[in-house]
Amino acid sequence: MGDVTFGIYVPSYKRSNLILTNDLLEYCTYVVRSSEESDYRNAGVENLIAVEDSKIDSEIAVTNWIIKNSPEDVICILDDDFEDILYRLDFNEPIKKDKEIITSELERIAQLIVDLDIGFACEDASSVPYNYTQEFTFKGISGGIKWINKSRFKAVIDPTVEHNYDTDIILQELMMNRIILMPKYITGRSKICTNEGGSAVGRQRKDMLGCIERMKNKWGKYYKFDEKHNKSSLNVQR
């Protein structure tokens, strides 16, 4: 990546008993609350940053902290519950936890958003094979891997839409940078979301519905939510 620096970050909360993403990468930095630092170190996470609990007390807060405090020019932020990363074409092919391949793919996307001079990239929220239509697209709903090119990233994280903040970021970037980059040929395989740690803590149905209504009010015709299938979509032509 020449003179451009790159870092990989994994925010994690209450999951020191289940370290997954750390084992898929050649290098990464976990970001945890200070009160849990010893738990993660005892679980074998060597490279971590412990931040005062009150400064990273939500998914939005920790994401914002990483963006503002990481020293690299381009960063990748991954969920902490990935069991493996998959290649996706007409079927899903596990990379089988090959650290070199997985890390190089993250670096590849980082290089692409630098070359394209755009601010944001993300994994597709859907990993089903039949959803694969092309190697890349330029809009969509984000999954658990996100890349940020700080020199071009223009979105401001909005705490009023916490449960949909990543979709809000995408809409902001589409408005100000015209496109995002979404690699569809690679996707993550996560454990089933439970209330034991991660962003699931404190997630209530009524709060999520409130966020959806605020997204509708904020973005109007550009944001759609299918209540029957519990699925967001973007009505933006690219």
Side-chain angles (χ1 to χ4, degrees):
M1 296 181 66
D3 296 330
V4 177
T5 56
F6 176 63
I8 302 173
Y9 291 87
V10 182
S12 189
Y13 175 52
K14 287 190 174 181
R15 284 183 173 157
S16 59
N17 64 328
L18 191 65
I19 304 300
L20 294 173
T21 303
N22 186 64
D23 297 331
L24 301 179
L25 302 165
E26 290 186 310
Y27 60 89
C28 70
T29 301
Y30 266 56
V31 180
V32 304
R33 301 185 190 190
S34 294
S35 61
E36 296 186 306
E37 178 179 3
S38 60
D39 296 333
Y40 279 87
R41 292 198 184 279
N42 291 338
V45 179
E46 297 179 358
N47 193 16
L48 64 78
I49 298 172
V51 182
E52 183 181 328
D53 288 26
S54 62
K55 293 182 178 180
I56 57 168
D57 59 359
S58 67
E59 186 177 4
I60 278 185
V62 69
T63 300
N64 219 14
W65 190 94
I66 293 170
I67 293 170
K68 292 184 175 181
N69 292 278
S70 54
E72 297 87 1
D73 301 311
V74 184
I75 58 173
C76 180
I77 302 176
L78 290 88
D79 287 353
D80 63 355
D81 59 350
F82 283 118
E83 296 181 303
D84 202 356
I85 304 298
L86 316 173
Y87 283 127
R88 179 176 62 172
L89 295 171
D90 296 326
F91 56 91
N92 285 342
E93 178 66 31
I95 299 179
K96 299 179 180 178
K97 302 184 179 181
D98 188 312
K99 293 183 178 183
E100 182 178 359
I101 293 176
I102 293 170
T103 305
S104 67
E105 288 290 358
L106 300 185
E107 293 170 342
R108 177 192 184 206
I109 304 305
Q111 182 65 66
L112 284 172
I113 62 172
V114 170
D115 292 344
L116 291 169
D117 198 28
I118 58 176
F120 189 76
C122 58
E123 168 213 16
D124 189 1
S126 174
S127 62
V128 294
Y130 59 76
N131 193 49
Y132 179 83
T133 55
Q134 60 209 85
E135 187 176 8
F136 294 98
T137 188
F138 303 101
K139 65 174 183 176
I141 302 297
S142 174
I145 309 175
K146 304 171 182 67
W147 293 259
I148 294 164
N149 178 12
K150 293 180 184 178
S151 68
R152 294 294 295 163
F153 184 68
K154 297 180 180 179
V156 176
I157 294 178
D158 183 354
T160 69
V161 291
E162 179 172 359
H163 299 298
N164 297 88
Y165 84 94
D166 47 1
T167 302
D168 182 67
I169 284 175
I170 289 169
L171 283 163
Q172 290 186 57
E173 287 293 304
L174 290 174
M175 179 174 67
M176 293 183 283
N177 271 330
R178 299 298 298 165
I179 63 171
I180 66 163
L181 185 67
M182 177 175 285
K184 300 195 75 172
Y185 72 93
I186 191 168
T187 186
R189 183 175 68 201
S190 303
K191 289 188 71 68
I192 300 299
C193 178
T194 70
N195 285 325
E196 297 178 359
S199 61
V201 173
R203 181 184 291 167
Q204 301 293 330
R205 177 67 176 170
K206 64 178 181 179
D207 295 333
M208 297 177 71
L209 291 174
C211 279
I212 289 165
E213 288 305 310
R214 288 189 288 275
M215 285 288 290
K216 290 179 179 178
N217 291 335
K218 181 175 183 178
W219 291 106
K221 67 179 182 180
Y222 300 110
Y223 173 78
K224 304 292 183 182
F225 184 76
D226 183 341
E227 294 186 10
K228 181 178 180 180
H229 299 97
N230 195 34
K231 184 178 180 181
S232 296
S233 62
L234 307 183
N235 183 29
V236 180
Q237 299 303 314
R238 285 292 179 270

